[in-house]
């Protein structure tokens, strides 16, 4: 856990002034998804998995899943990747953070959320009192789209079962979806991110909070305040689960 002084530093990095913080009780929780309460439990239907490898992925342990992703050729992204980017962190984490796809740094290093966006994510985690190794970090797609283009529907359909199995194995208390594409992929919605953030959603029985991608926050620092509000909402859900 980060010390208070460290948290202050990271809150500063996020553009959050400590004297502005409000108590968690002041954070509005959307009342709509009443079915998301209590201890989360995954209930992932085998129908969710592509026919070709449905049984393999659905029943895979961590080691098998890692090997499957490494060898995966289910979509055309395998042709241009340097390597797959599986995910990193604690396999018993209460928090799972999900982005859309690896970028150039991630493709090179084989780890999600490195580089400047990764450093901001680390700052966001530290502001929550979390270390990177305490949470689990992954992307919807495990291979980099060429020139960082947007993920395509078919690629998400082929790759999401890997993420689903990761989440099923972890069984976290909260999923934080980072950025428009990750949010749209997980929630199967095309609503603006601004309309999806600030409330609790459900992803296969796990509470999900939508917020901005760290790369977007680097370009749009005025929205860091909203991202911090989203993270506080996520924290309030974890603390009451
Ligand atoms: Fe397989 Fe996913 Fe990579 Fe496509 S993006 S090749 S589905 S691991």
């Amino acid at each position: 856990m980060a010390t208070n002084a460290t948290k202050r530093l990271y809150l500063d990095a996020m553009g959050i002034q400590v004297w502005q913080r409000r108590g968690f009780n002041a954070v509005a929780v959307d009342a709509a998804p009443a079915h998301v309460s209590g201890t989360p439990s995954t209930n992932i239907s085998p129908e969710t998995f592509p026919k070709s490898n449905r049984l393999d992925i659905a029943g895979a342990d961590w080691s098998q899943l890692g090997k499957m992703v490494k060898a995966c050729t289910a979509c055309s992204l395998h042709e241009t990747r340097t390597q797959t980017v599986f995910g990193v962190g604690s396999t018993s984490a209460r928090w799972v953070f999900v982005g859309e796809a690896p970028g150039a740094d991630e493709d090179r290093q084989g780890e999600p959320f490195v580089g400047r966006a990764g450093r901001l994510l680390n700052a966001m985690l530290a502001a929550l009192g979390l270390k990177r190794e305490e949470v689990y970090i992954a992307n919807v797609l495990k291979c980099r789209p060429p020139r960082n283009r947007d993920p395509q529907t078919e690629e998400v359909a082929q790759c999401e079962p890997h993420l689903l199995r990761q989440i099923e194995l972890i069984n976290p208390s909260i999923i934080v979806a980072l950025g428009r594409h990750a949010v749209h992929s997980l929630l199967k919605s095309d609503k603006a991110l601004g309309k999806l953030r600030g409330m609790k959603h459900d992803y296969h029985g796990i509470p999900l909070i939508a917020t901005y991608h760290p790369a977007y926050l680097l370009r749009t620092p005025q929205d860091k305040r909203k991202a911090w509000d989203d993270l506080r909402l996520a924290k309030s859900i974890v603390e009451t689960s």
Side-chain angles (χ1 to χ4, degrees), residues 59-75:
D61 62 21
W62 280 108
S63 168
Q64 292 164 334
L65 191 60
K67 286 176 189 158
M68 284 176 197
V69 167
K70 209 166 190 171
C72 183
T73 58
C75 81

Side-chain angles (χ1 to χ4, degrees), residues 68-79 81 84-85 102 140-144 154-160 162:
M68 284 176 197
V69 167
K70 209 166 190 171
C72 183
T73 58
C75 81
S76 63
L77 295 183
H78 80 277
E79 295 167 4
R81 71 187 177 211
T84 55
V85 181
V140 178
L141 297 186
K142 309 304 186 197
C143 303
R144 181 194 180 203
E154 175 61 17
E155 293 160 358
V156 172
Q158 290 298 330
C159 208
E160 190 179 356
H162 299 127

Side-chain angles (χ1 to χ4, degrees), residues 115-128:
R116 286 185 71 215
R119 285 195 291 279
L120 180 55
L121 177 61
N122 293 346
M124 294 158 75
L125 296 177
L128 289 164

Side-chain angles (χ1 to χ4, degrees), residues 85-214:
V85 181
F86 182 72
V88 69
S90 168
T91 54
S92 56
R94 297 187 76 190
W95 295 71
V96 171
F97 291 80
V98 180
E100 64 186 72
D105 290 332
E106 288 79 12
D107 177 64
R108 203 164 31 244
Q109 297 183 37
E111 182 171 333
F113 286 92
V114 293
R116 286 185 71 215
R119 285 195 291 279
L120 180 55
L121 177 61
N122 293 346
M124 294 158 75
L125 296 177
L128 289 164
L130 296 167
K131 291 180 183 164
R132 187 173 164 100
E133 57 269 26
E134 287 179 90
V135 305
Y136 197 84
I137 304 169
N139 286 304
V140 178
L141 297 186
K142 309 304 186 197
C143 303
R144 181 194 180 203
R147 299 174 300 285
N148 293 346
R149 65 155 169 75
D150 294 346
Q152 294 177 356
T153 307
E154 175 61 17
E155 293 160 358
V156 172
Q158 290 298 330
C159 208
E160 190 179 356
H162 299 127
L163 176 69
L164 271 168
R165 184 59 182 155
Q166 287 174 303
I167 289 172
E168 189 176 44
L169 287 166
I170 296 168
N171 193 21
S173 298
I174 193 81
I175 298 166
V176 180
L178 299 165
R180 178 167 56 98
H181 292 299
V183 170
H184 286 173
S185 297
L186 298 185
L187 296 183
K188 310 303 177 207
S189 169
D190 58 3
K191 282 188 188 168
L193 178 52
K195 296 205 182 309
L196 293 169
R197 57 161 295 276
M199 64 184 74
K200 185 165 69 170
H201 301 275
D202 175 281
Y203 184 74
H204 295 273
I206 307 287
L208 181 148
I209 294 297
T211 194
Y212 298 105
H213 194 286

